[in-house]
Amino acid sequence: MGGMNLLDKPLHAAAAVLLAAALLEIGWLHLLEGLEGRVSDLFVRSQAAALAPDPEIVIVDVDEPSLARMQDAAGKFPWPRSVYADLVLGIESQKPRAIVFDILFAEEDTRDRESDRAFNRALKGLNNVYFPTQHLDAAGDAGGVPIAQVAGVLGLERGESVRPDARIQLLPPQAVDEEHWQRSGVINFLADRDGVGRRYWVAKPAYGWRLPSLPARVARGLGYPVPGAESIVLNWRGSEGAFRHISFADLYEDFGRKKRTRAADELTDKIVIVGATAAGLGDFRVTPISNVYPGAEILATAIDNLKNQRWMRETPDYARMVLVALLLALVLAAFRLRRNAVETGVALAIVSAALLGTQYAALNARFLLPVAVPLLFAWVLYLFGAMLAYLREKRTREQAVRLFSRFLNPDVVRRIVDQGETIESLSGKTRQISILFSDIRGFTTLSETRPPQEIVALLNRYFSRQVAVVFRHGGTLDKFIGDCIMAFWGAPLEDPRHAEHAVAAALEMQQVLLEFKKELGEAGRDFDVGIGIHTGSAVVGFIGAEQKLDYTAIGDSVNLASRIEGLTKEAQCRILVSRETAAACHNSLAFSSRGSYKVKGRTQEVELLEPRAESA
C-alpha cells in the first residue's frame, strides 16, 4: 500500500548521486575515459579496415630486411648520417612535396663529423625536409634550457601568458644546421589515461608556449590549414601497414645503381616519411588499431588527417551530460511507474543498442559520440532500481502471505502469491461466489455449565476442525462473527465449481459436528449448527484500515446467505441452500426442497433446498 512508496526514496537518492557523479566524471574527472575509449576503439577497428589512407603519403621503412642488407654498406643501426644524405638526394631528385624524418638526429656524430657535414650539404637549400623534436620528461624541465632562448630558432609559438623564466628539456635535431630547425616539430606520444594513443599533438603546451607538432609543421609548410586545438583525435585509415611502405634498403640500393630499376617518379608529389618498423628498434605504440602500432604510421595518420582535414570531431561535454540526465530520468520514470523490471531492462537494452548503433554510424561522419559512460550510469541506476523492485516485490509477497494465510489454505496462498497477486490486485473485484454461514446453536446452555476457560478451549477446538474443512474444500475463511463462521468459494482463485465445493464443505462440516457432539457426550446434547449457502454476485477484496485489513465479501448475496442460515432452525434442518446454489451444482449433488420462505429485504419468497450426502 502507501508504505511501499518509501522504497522510491533511495531510488531518487541514487539517481541524484549518479547524476552528480556523471557530471563530475564527464566534466572533470575522466576516470572512466578508458571504458569509453575501449568501446570506441572496437568500432574504430571495425571501420578502419575499409578506409583507405592517403595514397600520396609513402613510408620509406627501416624494416627488418633493411637492417640486415645495410650491414655491409652502413654497418649496424644507427647508420652514419651520410646514408641519409644519399637517401635525401635520391628522393629529392624525384620532386616530392615533403620529406619527413621520423628518426631523431638529436646528437652530433662525434666519431664521424664528415658524415654529419655530408648530410647537411644534402639538405642545403631544401625547404621541404622536416625533422622531429622530442620534449623530454617535464619533471626534468628545470634543468633544461630557457625556452625564450630557443623559441626563435625552433619556431615555438608564444601564448597569451608565458613564463619568461621557464626552462625546458628538448631534443632538437642537433645533427643538422639550425636553419632547418624551423621545420622541426614534436613527436611526443599522446596517450589517454589507459595508455592508448588516440590523439596527436597539434601544439604541445609548455609554460604558456606552444610547441608545434611535426604533422602540424608539415601541414602548414604545404599550405594546409591547421586547427587551433592542442590536439586532434585521429581518424585511423586502414589496418596496420595500410600506408604504402617502401623498404629503405630497396630504395637506397636503387639510388646507388647506375641504371635504376625502380620508377623514376614513384615519389613525385608524395609526402615521404622516413621511419622505422623493425621490431628491434622498438618504435611501437598502443593505438585503437593495434597494441604494437608503428610510430611511423601514427605520424603518417596525423599528417593524413591534417592534409585532408578529416580528423574526428568531438561531442561537447554538455551534450553527454544531457544524455546521461535523460537516460537516468527515463530509468527513474520507468520504476516510478512500477514498470516490470524485466521489461525496463529490455527497453534499456534496446535504447543501449540504438545509442551504440548511432555511435557507430557517427564515426562514418567523423563524429565522436561517446555513449558508454552515460549508458554505464543508466545501467547502474537500473540495477539498483531492479534490486529495489525485487525488495518491494518480496515485501509485497511476504505481506500477501501473512494476510492470505489468515483466510486461505497454505497451498492456495502459495498459488496466489506465485501468480503475482497483491492486495491491490485482489481488491474491489465483483465475482460470482458461493457464501456459507455456519452458526452454533445451543451454545448458551453449554456455556452456563462450563468454566469460561473450558468454553474458549472447546470453541477453539470446534472452529479449528471446521476451518480445516473449509480449507480442505478450497474455501476462503472470511471471518468469525461471535460463534458464527463466514466463508466463501470462488475468490480469490477462480473456481468454476464453487457452489459444489461449498455444499460439499457444508456436508462435511455436518459430519464433523456429529463427531464433535460425541466427544462432548451428554454436554453436547443441545450443541448444534445451522448452515446457510447462497450463490450470487458479490464484491470481494481487502477492506479495513491499513493497520488491519480483512479479505471479505460484501453485497446482497452475503446478506441472503446469512438469512438462509437463520431459517435453518425454522425449517428444522442443519443445511439449507438457495435455488441458485443448487442450480450451480449442475446435478452433481442431490437436493430436497424445503419449501419457500419469506426473507427480510425480499419481496418474493426464496425457495430453499437441503442437500443430501449421497450422490444424485
Side-chain angles (χ1 to χ4, degrees), residues 1-10 336 338 388-389 391-397 399-400 422-424 546:
M1 302 292 285
M4 290 190 286
N5 292 329
L6 292 174
L7 289 175
D8 291 330
K9 292 182 178 180
R336 287 283 292 124
R338 298 292 187 268
L388 289 181
L391 293 175
R392 181 188 292 117
E393 181 181 354
K394 182 181 178 183
R395 175 180 172 179
T396 302
R397 288 169 65 89
Q399 184 182 29
T422 64
I423 295 172
E424 291 82 0
E546 185 175 336

Side-chain angles (χ1 to χ4, degrees), residues 202-217:
V202 174
K204 190 174 186 292
Y207 314 106
W209 296 89
R210 287 165 57 87
L211 314 179
S213 70
L214 186 55
R217 287 286 200 207

